[in-house]
Amino acid sequence: MRYWHHFKRAFIPIALILIGLAIFYTLSARNNPALTILGAVIVGVILFLVMRHMNRVED
């Protein structure tokens, strides 16, 4: 059970950030400014949620 706790704390936030960056890269590769901004917003929201979750877990 302890392993699952460490897995949730470490791997899932990193995976979410990498998925967000992949979405951003895919959208920005289309050379459309609107899609690039949308990708940046998606990455920002994911980073915000991960950091909020990490701060909540540490308390």
Side-chain angles (χ1 to χ4, degrees), residues 12-33:
I12 293 175
I14 292 170
L16 287 175
I17 292 170
L18 290 176
I19 290 169
L21 289 173
I23 291 170
F24 171 73
Y25 180 74
T26 302
L27 292 176
S28 65
R30 299 188 185 269
N31 293 328
N32 186 342

Side-chain angles (χ1 to χ4, degrees), residues 3-59:
Y3 174 76
W4 177 246
H5 175 70
H6 290 295
F7 180 79
K8 287 191 306 186
R9 278 190 50 125
F11 180 74
I12 293 175
I14 292 170
L16 287 175
I17 292 170
L18 290 176
I19 290 169
L21 289 173
I23 291 170
F24 171 73
Y25 180 74
T26 302
L27 292 176
S28 65
R30 299 188 185 269
N31 293 328
N32 186 342
L35 290 178
T36 302
I37 292 171
L38 176 66
V41 168
I42 290 171
V43 170
V45 167
I46 289 174
L47 285 174
F48 173 76
L49 292 175
V50 165
M51 293 307 293
R52 192 176 77 171
H53 174 72
M54 294 303 286
N55 286 337
R56 187 180 310 151
V57 168
E58 290 177 4
D59 289 344

